[in-house]
Structures are given as structure tokens and as C-alpha cells.
Amino acid sequence: MNNNSDVMYRLLVQSVVDYAIYMLKPDGTVANWNSGAQRAKGYTPDEIVGKNFALFYSEDDRKNGAPQRGLATATATGRFETEGWRYRKDGSAFWAHVVIDAIRDEFGELLGFAKITRDCTEQQEQQRKQREQEQRFRMLVEGVSDYAIYMLDLDGNVENWNVGAQRAKGYVAEEIVGQHFSRFYSAQDRKNHIPEKNLTTAFKTGRFEDEGYRYRKDGSAFWAHVIIDAIRDDAGKLIGYAKITRDCTEQQALLRKQHEQEKNFRLLVEGVRDYAIYMLDVHGRVVNWNNGAQRAKGYLADEIVGQHFSVFYSSAERHANAPEANLGIALKTGRFEDEGWRYRKDGSAFWAHVVIEAINDESGKLIGFAKITRDITERRENEQQLLRARDLAQSQSAKMSELSGFLDTIISNIPSCVIVEDAISREILMVNDKAEQLFGINKALIMHKRPHECMSAELGDYFNSLADVALRSEGIHSREQLLLTAGGERILHTRATTISGKDMRQNYVMLIVEDVTDQREADARIRHMAHHDNLTSLPNRVLFRQKLSEALRVDNLNNQISATLCLDLDNFKNVNDALGHQIGDDLLRVVAKRLRSALRDHDTLARIGGDEFAIVLPNVRSADEAAVVAQRLIEAIRPPINVEGHNLSVGLSVGIALTSQATNTPEHMLRCADMALYEAKRNGRNRFEHFTIEMDNQARSRRVIENDLRDAISGRQLKLYYQPITNEQGIIGYEALMRWHHPIKGLIMPNDFIPIAEETGLIHMLGAYALYEACREAQSWNTEQSVSVNLSPLQFKNSSLVSVVEGALRESGLAPHRLEVEITESVLLDDTLGNIRTLQSLKTLGVQIALDDFGTGYSSLSYLRSFPFDKIKIDKSFINDMGDSREALAIIRAITGMSRSLDIQITAEGVENGEQFAKLREEGCTLFQGYFFGRPQPSELRLKELE
């Protein structure tokens, strides 16, 4: 039975393919080898039995004695268990879970080891991805500033609080965590138990979504889009609620204005009865329908919307694809205009004047067609009747006198103006009543006069020019022009044709004049709505892109230069936040007028969104000329603007890009100008910058470093180095300084990656890593030495900063007084009250707080009054200069004297030699840091600098 059991067990072990199971002799040589081992490590039994198992380890592990330590642990304790990289026969690595059990006989004598190895590479990769995903998600949520994202417990109490929540609702985390979320609702909503009802909806359906007013800490209301999701664990048990709130006040106001404008425009269009005005989608289907369309074509909106507009054409035209061809012309040229027969719902025909305009969105993508149709059957019939009467009069001279009266009657009643002139003398021989109305002159004063004798010079030139064209060539000749008439400035559409008399020696010119002002205004309204900003009436992004494309095309043809400018108002958001969007809108209108007044007539100024504007300066002579314009724009905005009694001051930042032969596309020009704008804002705002190749290279470099930095964080390429801080007795602590060991570029210093981490928001993750790692390593020193960690001003914008510090202390077990955080003066310049509260919370934890780089920037004694700092660090620039500069030494003496009065310790940074050390001791400095005492080193080497 025992033999059978052994055989069965051996067969079982040999057949297992997911685990490498084998025996080692006491010296670590392989004694046997199963199928799983061969599969996992690639060796056959013949190749591996008798070899030492150390060859499954890396060369570094073998040098460090890792295989022997594993066997020693198994020998001493009975078992060794670990995870790490192991290596196959082909040299490839896999992540392994390893168990080594010591096997002893009944007398306790070591016989060898049983070793079980499992390839966990896939699970390890999944866990790594899951951790990265969770880490990214946490960073995303904590760094989002446009959305309030937080958790509620089962009772609706706030559990955490992100930056966006603090920004939207005004509470810092300490004020709101633990409070019931109903405080964001109005008193009436709370009385009606609306918050509880919303949670119940989320509980029952999984999600509650709504829009409505919510309230900030200061009592002000904002229009919010709210989502509450019920969160359950793997077993389906409710564990809380995730709540996302977005301040949509600005969007709501814009939407309301847009709806009002659309409503006004819709009422305007729908109220027009003489024109059919409607939209087609990109396929030619009717999208909407006005009163004029219903009157002209007989269809109700419900009957025609969704139908193809080809129903208005004859079957022959549909068969010939005329509707599609007309849309094609509009798509290609932007506009199709024609006259022809169209058909009503009842099948009757009418003669129509038709305009089809292609409508594109901001990106230039076709979104449909605007179609205007006017029934001109009566006008055409009158014209045809006139022509038939003329022909009849010519062919039947015997009845001429009889028909003359008939002809006069017809002409008098035509709704268009009719003027007949003698071709040679230009004497007016005939006019109708409509002409008398249009020109405000009695017919008796017009007859037998030349146009210049009875009309304005402008009208006379207009009619004479058309008559000249008609006499030069046969056919009907049309022209359209804005002219001053008795009814004011009107757009006149005139057709001129010649008429032969009794013989070829007598000719006449007939002019048919039609007032098309209303029709063209309707056309213009549609075009303006599609290409202009509703608030300022400036060109929008669509029209701006067209103007920029046109300027670039002309540049290419004429070998000239154009400039593209991107503009952004400084501090505009503060106006919106403090005074409301109505004041902000009025301010934008004034700004638009000031900017426009500073430009040439042929320059294009556009509003491309929010407080962002863009300009095309065609045909500039040089970069200096563009710079002069930019400065003129800045000066135009500089004087305060009075809006409803408020004197508002905003600045202007400008980025300039000039065309080059290399890349001349609208997208490239805007991108370059935007990079220059970013540089202007980064360099202090209220200024302009020219785009340079270095900016593009820097942007590319920043993107490369950003991507590498993300890999560095996930790949643990970042490490803390420690520089000693001493007093006269010895080292009392260390400052933790981050270093990046790039796999290709080598060691990268903080100045090269911290600014990018701050720009991208990665600083929150780097800062948390530094705090946790510094606390962990300091706890392992087995001394009372402190560790100092620098905090970025941006970390104070994250409401979880105090929680991060608290978590680092709790996880490491480090005593709070051994942790010191260093801040710069900019923390106190930005959101002073909120940041002071954060510092007070850190102080409450027992953490030491130091003010770094004191004496530079905006140093002020008010900082020392606003918060009780534990230490002040004198900037190293004063230490470097104190031997040569009386001013530097005077500043050092002032700081040390002040610190003694306030009982604050002073740390002198950048001490590099004994002479400086001695001098600083004389001046009263008590703590010192610099290369004289030691360079930054990894934790394991931190003491060697002084040995």
C-alpha cells in the first residue's frame, strides 16, 4: 500500500505542469525535475539534474548570495517563501512565487529541500496594472478642479473631498468631511427631504442624475449638474455613494442666451411669410419649416420635415438628379442660386427664385444647407406678358395703337419697376407706377428725360452702365447693387435687354428693376449667424479659420508674411466669479470694441471662446511690425473699464506667430501662436511673446520628459538622497532631495523635472512618494535625527495634503516631531487664508515647519506674524555673497537678530567652507547645511560623507 502511494504521488508530481516541483540536495544541486519545471524553466531533466539551482537567479543575486540565504532560511526555520525574478534557460525572466521546504529524516538530519516554483508573471503584471490604474484614478480624482468628486457614507455624510469640490463649494476638507451633504441644498429642499429622496433613487436604481441650484459655504447659489452613484462591494452590499457635481452656471447662462437668440431668430424666420426659409441636413432632408414655406408649398411642418427636398422638383428633374446636382454646387462653391419651376403639395407649379447655402460648423465640417425660396410666379408672368405684348405689337403693326393702351395697362401693373429708354438718345420713353414709387418722382417728371436729368448721379450711372452692356451683346444682363432711393438705401436687382423697333434702325433698352433688399437681408442673417460670435458679433472660429486660410494662400502666391496672434485676458475669471457672468459679458463686449479699434480695417479679429481672441494680420513687413500691434492691443486694454459702476482692470497676454515657408497651415499657425501665448503668461502676463523654434522644441521636450516621468514613477526610477543638517555638536537631521535615475539619460536633477511635474499635476504623486519614502527610511535609522521634505506650492491646492502627511507618519511609525516640511514664500502669497489653515493642521499633527529660501522673492515679516514657523532657512545666495557683499551680510544679521527675538531657529544653507561656517557661527546661526558637511547621498550611504 505504501509503495503504491509513493508511486501515485510521484506520478502526480511528474504530471503537474503549472508548478515547477523538484528536489534539491543539501548543497543546492537539483536532484529531480518534473514536467512543470521543464515547462517553466526550459531545461530538460538531463540538462539540469546535478546542476546548482543558483543558475535560476540573476548574476547580481548570485553575487549577493541570495540562493544560499534562501536555503539557510529554509534550514533554520523549515521554510523559505518569497517572490522575485527568476531566469529560464533562454535567459528570459519571469516573476516567480517560490517555496523551499527543508526535508529531514526521522532523526532530524537534513536530507535536502523540496522546491516549488510558480510562474506568476501574468498575475504580477495584472496586479501592477491594477495598482497603476488605481493610482492614476486617485490622482485623477484628487487633481480634477472642474468637478466636485467625493464619497458619501450610507447616511449621506461626506467621507472625502477633492480640489474641485473645494473650488466649487468653498469648503476645505476639514470643514466638510463628516457633515451631511444636505447642507449643499436650499432650506426648502431640506424641508422637503429632497437630499434623502435623491439618495433613495440612487439606492434603488443605481444612479440619480439631475440639474438644479446648489449652495456654497458663503450662501451663494450655482447651477449644478449632479450625479449620485450607489457603490457596492463584490457581494453586492451597499458601501456608500460616489457624488460628482459640476458648476454649470456659466454654461447655463450661455445656454439661456443661446436659447433666447435662437428663439428670436426662429421667431424672425418663422414669421417671414413671403419667403420659404428652411434647413436641409447633409443628405438633403428637410429639418425645419417656416410659415413662408408652408404658405408657398402647401405642406405642414409635420408632413414635410424628414422628407427629401427633391419632392419640390418635377419627376424629370428628379430623374436627371437635378436636386443632388444643385446641392453639389452649394457644397463646392458655398452657394447655389437659380430660378425655375417648383411644385406644391397639390401638384401645382410655381416659378421660384432659389438660394441654397452650405452651412459648416467651427471645424469646417458640413452640417447642412440653408434654403430660401421665393414664389416669383406673378413677376415672371408679368414679364412674360410684357414680352408677349411686345412681340404682338411688333408682328401686328396694324393693331399697334390698339395694343398700346393694353401694353400701358400691363406695364403699369407689373410689381417690378419698368423703364424703357431710346437706345441712342437714352431718353426715357416709358415708366410704370412702381418706378414712380421707388424713385419718389412723378412720372411726368421722368418721361422724355435722360436718367442723369431726373435721378441722382449714382442711379443715372447705374442704369446707363447696364444699358451699355445690353447694347454691346444680346440677351438679358443682370446686376445687383446697393443704391440710395426715395425709400432709403435699397438693394436693386436689375435686368437689361434690348428691343428692336419697326425696323433695324430703331432700338430700345428695357430695364426691369426689383427691390431685393428684404431677401438679401434674410440671406445675410443666416450667413452672419453661421460665421459670427453671438456675444460680440466678431467673427467666430469658423470664419477666422477661413480668413487665416485666405491670408496664408495670398502669402504663398505673393511671397509675403502674415501674423497670427492669440490673445487671452488676464484676471477675467476673477471678474466672472466676483461680479457674475452678466458683468463679464458686458466687459467682453467693451474689450472686443477696444481691440477692434486698435487694428487695421483688413485685419481680422475673432472671438474663439470664453476670454480668448485671435487675430490675423495679413501682409506684415516684419516681426517688429507685429510686435507694435501686439503692444498697441495691450495698451488699449490697460485703462480700467467701467461696467455698471464697477471699474474693472484686466490685462492682456499675446502670442505671435509669423508664417514661414516650412509649415503654413491654419492649425500650425494657431498652435505656434498659442505656444507663444503660454510663454507670455508664464513670463508674467500682460505682455507679448514671439513664437520661436525653441518653444516648439521645449514643448516636445516637455512632452518627452512628462512621458518618461510617468514611466519613472511606475518603474521606481526615483530615489531620495539625504543631505545632513548639523549643529555644532553634529548631525541632527537630513533634508530629503529627489533624484531621477533615467535608464538612458542617467541622473536627472529636480530643476529639470519638478517644474514639469507641477505643470502636469504629477507633483501630487511625487510629493506623496517623497513623504512616505522619507518617513519610512527615517524610521529605519534608529536615531532621533529628523528628516526634512520640501513641499511644492501646488501641493497646497490639494485638499488631501494633510491626509497624505498623516498617512506617511502612520504607515512608517515615525514620530511626528522627527518630520519637518519646508515651504517657500509663494505658499503664503497664494490663497493665504486657506494655506495658513493647512499649515495649522500640519502643526496640529506635531510636524515641524520651516520657511525655505527666506530673504528672496517677496519676503515679509507679516509671514512670521501670520504663522509660528519652527525654522527659517537663509537662502544660500546670501551665504555665497557674504564675503564680498556688505548688503548680504547685513541681511544675514537682520534675519538672525529677528529669529532670536521670535525664538525661531535659523538654518544657513549652502555652507561650502570652514571660513563661512566660522563667520555664520559668529552671526548667531545655529544650524548649518552645505557641501562642507556632506553632499546628498542615498540613505544607505548617508554617513560615509562624514567618515
Side-chain angles (χ1 to χ4, degrees):
M1 185 68 181
N2 289 338
N3 289 337
N4 287 338
S5 296
D6 290 345
V7 170
M8 292 291 288
Y9 181 72
R10 188 168 59 254
L11 290 173
L12 173 63
V13 170
Q14 288 297 329
S15 63
V16 171
V17 295
D18 291 332
Y19 291 83
I21 304 175
Y22 51 98
M23 295 290 294
L24 301 177
K25 295 179 181 179
D27 62 354
T29 56
V30 178
N32 53 40
W33 197 245
N34 80 327
S35 301
Q38 182 171 339
R39 180 184 180 191
K41 305 195 179 186
Y43 296 93
T44 63
D46 294 340
E47 294 173 318
I48 197 62
V49 171
K51 301 288 181 64
N52 194 284
F53 85 113
L55 60 85
F56 306 141
Y57 288 72
S58 68
E59 185 176 348
D60 287 343
D61 283 344
R62 292 197 294 270
K63 286 181 179 178
N64 293 333
Q68 292 73 24
R69 284 199 300 274
L71 292 186
T73 301
T75 302
T77 65
R79 166 170 284 204
F80 171 74
E81 186 170 1
T82 189
E83 287 192 357
W85 293 108
R86 296 296 183 269
Y87 294 84
R88 302 184 182 92
K89 176 185 174 182
D90 61 7
S92 61
F94 65 97
W95 188 263
H97 178 263
V98 177
V99 176
I100 303 176
D101 282 310
I103 307 299
R104 299 179 182 274
D105 61 16
E106 57 188 358
F107 304 108
E109 186 69 26
L110 181 68
L111 300 176
F113 303 92
K115 193 164 184 295
I116 302 175
T117 304
R118 187 181 184 192
D119 183 348
C120 297
T121 307
E122 186 174 348
Q123 297 93 317
Q124 173 72 5
E125 181 63 19
Q126 288 175 345
Q127 290 173 1
R128 185 184 66 79
K129 287 181 178 177
Q130 184 177 353
R131 285 194 302 272
E132 288 178 355
Q133 211 167 24
E134 290 172 352
Q135 203 168 39
R136 289 193 191 102
F137 182 72
R138 185 173 63 254
M139 286 178 59
L140 173 66
V141 170
E142 290 177 351
V144 168
S145 60
D146 291 335
Y147 290 82
I149 304 175
Y150 52 98
M151 293 289 295
L152 305 177
D153 64 17
L154 298 177
D155 299 318
N157 297 315
V158 178
E159 290 191 320
N160 49 43
W161 198 245
N162 81 325
V163 176
Q166 180 174 338
R167 179 184 178 190
K169 304 196 178 187
Y171 296 92
V172 297
E174 291 79 5
E175 297 173 316
I176 198 63
V177 170
Q179 302 295 320
H180 197 270
F181 84 112
S182 59
R183 66 167 51 199
F184 308 137
Y185 289 72
S186 67
Q188 187 62 43
D189 283 347
R190 292 196 294 270
K191 184 177 179 181
N192 295 333
H193 303 291
I194 298 299
E196 293 78 7
K197 290 176 181 177
N198 295 349
L199 280 191
T200 301
T201 300
F203 174 75
K204 290 180 177 178
T205 66
R207 166 170 281 204
F208 168 78
E209 187 167 2
D210 189 23
E211 287 194 356
Y213 281 107
R214 296 295 184 270
Y215 294 84
R216 302 185 180 91
K217 175 185 175 183
D218 61 8
S220 61
F222 64 99
W223 187 264
H225 178 261
V226 177
I227 295 175
I228 304 176
D229 281 314
I231 307 299
R232 300 180 183 275
D233 61 16
D234 293 339
K237 180 183 176 183
L238 182 71
I239 58 176
Y241 300 91
K243 193 163 185 298
I244 302 175
T245 304
R246 187 181 186 193
D247 183 348
C248 297
T249 309
E250 183 174 353
Q251 294 90 325
Q252 181 73 5
L254 290 174
L255 194 61
R256 185 173 64 252
K257 284 186 181 177
Q258 185 179 349
H259 286 164
E260 289 174 0
Q261 288 172 337
E262 289 174 353
K263 179 183 176 183
N264 293 337
F265 186 70
R266 185 172 64 252
L267 291 173
L268 172 67
V269 171
E270 290 178 351
V272 173
R273 293 178 53 81
D274 294 333
Y275 293 84
I277 303 175
Y278 53 98
M279 294 287 295
L280 305 177
D281 65 15
V282 293
H283 303 294
R285 291 187 291 264
V286 178
V287 175
N288 50 41
W289 200 244
N290 80 325
N291 290 336
Q294 181 176 332
R295 181 185 181 195
K297 305 197 178 187
Y299 294 93
L300 297 173
D302 295 341
E303 297 173 317
I304 196 62
V305 171
Q307 302 294 320
H308 197 272
F309 85 114
S310 59
V311 298
F312 309 136
Y313 288 72
S314 68
S315 58
E317 286 178 312
R318 290 197 295 271
H319 184 71
N321 293 323
E324 291 77 9
N326 296 348
L327 285 190
I329 293 171
L331 180 61
K332 184 176 180 180
T333 66
R335 181 183 180 94
F336 168 78
E337 186 169 5
D338 193 21
E339 290 185 2
W341 291 109
R342 296 294 184 269
Y343 294 85
R344 302 184 181 92
K345 176 185 175 184
D346 61 8
S348 60
F350 65 98
W351 189 261
H353 176 266
V354 178
V355 175
I356 304 175
E357 291 208 11
I359 304 298
N360 300 306
D361 65 11
E362 292 184 354
S363 64
K365 180 183 177 183
L366 180 72
I367 59 175
F369 301 89
K371 194 163 185 297
I372 304 175
T373 304
R374 187 182 184 192
D375 183 349
I376 58 171
T377 307
E378 184 179 355
R379 189 197 74 189
R380 183 176 185 276
E381 181 59 30
N382 288 331
E383 291 174 1
Q384 293 296 315
Q385 201 172 13
L386 178 64
L387 293 173
R388 286 195 297 271
R390 185 202 67 181
D391 293 342
L392 186 62
Q394 287 179 341
S395 63
Q396 300 184 20
S397 57
K399 299 181 180 179
M400 184 66 70
S401 57
E402 181 183 346
L403 290 175
S404 179
F406 176 62
L407 188 59
D408 286 343
T409 303
I410 292 173
I411 292 173
S412 296
N413 290 285
I414 287 177
S416 301
C417 304
V418 179
I419 303 173
V420 179
E421 298 178 355
D422 181 282
I424 297 174
S425 68
R426 299 294 169 86
E427 180 184 345
I428 298 174
L429 303 176
M430 183 183 297
V431 291
N432 67 348
D433 295 341
K434 196 71 175 178
E436 188 178 71
Q437 296 170 16
L438 181 64
F439 303 125
I441 307 172
N442 188 282
K443 283 194 291 186
L445 299 176
I446 298 177
M447 292 292 290
H448 307 296
K449 301 279 182 67
R450 293 181 178 88
H452 276 109
E453 295 172 345
C454 59
M455 302 177 191
S456 67
E458 184 182 36
L459 283 170
D461 288 343
Y462 175 66
F463 290 128
N464 283 337
S465 174
L466 266 172
D468 290 343
V469 173
L471 288 168
R472 281 197 295 269
S473 59
E474 293 182 346
I476 298 175
H477 302 275
S478 299
R479 184 176 298 173
E480 196 169 290
Q481 189 170 326
L482 178 66
L483 297 163
L484 183 62
T485 69
E489 288 191 332
R490 310 297 291 175
I491 300 173
L492 302 184
H493 183 85
T494 306
R495 279 160 295 178
T497 186
T498 56
I499 304 171
S500 299
K502 294 179 181 179
D503 58 47
M504 298 304 294
R505 291 171 296 179
Q506 185 69 47
N507 287 301
Y508 305 94
V509 177
M510 182 172 67
L511 301 164
I512 300 174
V513 186
E514 192 172 8
D515 184 350
V516 295
T517 307
D518 294 339
Q519 181 179 345
R520 295 299 176 255
E521 285 180 354
D523 295 349
R525 285 191 198 103
I526 290 177
R527 283 196 296 272
H528 190 276
M529 290 287 288
H531 294 97
H532 290 78
D533 170 51
N534 291 333
L535 180 65
T536 62
S537 292
L538 292 176
N540 61 13
R541 187 183 291 271
V542 175
L543 184 55
F544 177 78
R545 192 183 183 284
Q546 293 175 5
K547 293 291 186 181
L548 180 53
S549 296
E550 181 182 341
L552 296 178
R553 181 179 59 79
V554 173
D555 287 352
N556 191 45
L557 290 174
N558 300 332
N559 195 27
Q560 63 188 36
I561 298 173
S562 291
T564 303
L565 278 61
C566 281
L567 291 67
D568 188 81
L569 295 181
D570 303 328
N571 303 320
F572 176 74
K573 183 180 181 301
N574 295 339
V575 175
N576 262 353
D577 290 345
L579 302 175
H581 294 284
Q582 182 59 51
I583 299 293
D585 289 349
D586 291 344
L587 175 61
L588 285 175
R589 292 188 187 96
V590 177
V591 166
K593 289 179 182 177
R594 287 193 181 182
L595 293 175
R596 180 65 264 179
S597 67
L599 298 171
R600 303 170 297 183
D601 290 341
H602 60 278
D603 297 332
T604 299
L605 168 67
R607 180 178 177 233
I608 58 176
D611 60 339
E612 299 174 16
F613 297 84
I615 296 173
V616 180
L617 301 177
N619 192 20
V620 295
R621 288 183 293 273
S622 66
D624 290 341
E625 184 178 345
V628 169
V629 175
Q631 189 59 44
R632 191 162 65 237
L633 293 167
I634 292 170
E635 295 303 324
I637 300 302
R638 193 184 301 278
I641 299 171
N642 188 282
V643 180
E644 295 187 10
H646 302 283
N647 276 330
L648 307 175
S649 294
V650 291
L652 186 70
S653 297
V654 184
I656 306 171
L658 300 179
T659 53
S660 65
Q661 295 303 315
T663 48
N664 284 347
T665 66
E667 292 76 14
H668 177 77
M669 293 298 296
L670 278 170
R671 187 171 69 84
C672 293
D674 195 55
M675 278 191 275
L677 171 62
Y678 173 82
E679 187 70 12
K681 293 169 73 172
R682 197 170 69 85
N683 289 337
R685 301 176 181 268
N686 205 33
R687 57 181 289 126
F688 66 84
E689 293 287 351
H690 286 280
F691 169 78
T692 63
I693 295 299
E694 288 73 20
M695 289 180 191
D696 195 30
N697 293 337
Q698 287 171 6
R700 295 175 190 274
S701 177
R702 277 197 298 269
R703 285 194 293 273
V704 170
I705 293 178
E706 178 186 346
N707 292 333
D708 285 355
L709 187 54
R710 294 182 188 278
D711 293 339
I713 294 170
S714 58
R716 299 187 68 81
Q717 298 170 12
L718 298 163
K719 189 175 180 64
L720 291 182
Y721 279 42
Y722 295 88
Q723 185 174 29
I725 302 171
T726 71
N727 60 15
E728 295 188 17
Q729 283 72 45
I731 297 174
I732 63 163
Y734 293 87
E735 180 178 1
L737 302 167
M738 189 169 288
R739 299 291 185 263
W740 178 5
H741 290 270
H742 194 284
I744 297 173
K745 299 175 183 176
L747 187 64
I748 300 179
M749 302 302 283
N751 288 344
D752 296 323
F753 67 86
I754 292 297
I756 294 172
E758 290 179 330
E759 288 176 18
T760 59
L762 290 173
I763 190 64
H764 299 297
M765 189 171 183
L766 290 183
Y769 166 77
L771 282 164
Y772 272 79
E773 188 69 7
C775 290
R776 183 190 65 79
E777 291 195 330
Q779 178 63 13
S780 70
W781 295 343
N782 295 322
T783 68
E784 282 299 305
Q785 292 168 333
S786 64
V787 63
S788 180
V789 179
N790 291 282
L791 295 183
S792 163
L794 288 178
Q795 288 178 263
F796 281 78
K797 296 183 181 298
N798 190 335
S799 59
S800 64
L801 174 59
V802 177
S803 300
V804 170
V805 174
E806 191 174 16
L809 292 170
R810 183 175 57 251
E811 183 175 295
S812 64
L814 184 72
H817 72 273
R818 291 184 58 201
L819 174 63
E820 179 180 290
V821 294
E822 296 185 13
I823 68 164
T824 58
E825 298 162 5
S826 56
V827 169
L828 301 173
L829 280 171
D830 185 18
D831 187 19
T832 304
L833 185 58
N835 290 344
I836 288 293
R837 287 200 190 102
T838 301
L839 289 171
Q840 288 169 341
S841 297
L842 292 173
K843 191 80 169 174
T844 302
L845 293 178
V847 171
Q848 304 290 303
I849 299 177
L851 183 59
D852 197 8
D853 298 337
F854 192 77
T856 62
Y858 299 92
S859 298
S860 169
L861 293 178
S862 63
Y863 298 160
L864 305 181
R865 292 180 59 193
S866 62
F867 186 80
F869 290 97
D870 297 290
K871 290 180 184 177
I872 295 174
K873 301 188 77 172
I874 303 176
D875 186 70
K876 61 183 178 183
S877 61
F878 297 109
I879 311 301
N880 292 337
D881 296 343
M882 70 177 182
D884 304 318
S885 168
R886 293 173 55 193
E887 291 81 3
L889 186 58
I891 290 172
I892 293 172
R893 286 172 177 168
I895 295 173
T896 55
M898 176 186 61
S899 68
R900 282 192 295 271
S901 300
L902 297 174
D903 195 23
I904 299 175
Q905 285 189 303
I906 291 291
T907 302
E909 291 186 295
V911 182
E912 296 186 356
N913 54 57
E915 183 182 349
Q916 291 175 338
F917 176 42
K919 185 64 176 174
L920 288 166
R921 278 191 304 179
E922 287 179 17
E923 298 299 334
C925 290
T926 54
L927 301 176
F928 308 91
Q929 183 178 352
Y931 289 171
F932 181 66
F933 305 100
R935 293 176 177 270
Q937 294 285 359
S939 180
E940 59 271 18
L941 301 176
R942 63 190 174 88
L943 295 177
K944 290 190 176 181
E945 190 76 19
L946 295 178
E947 289 178 357

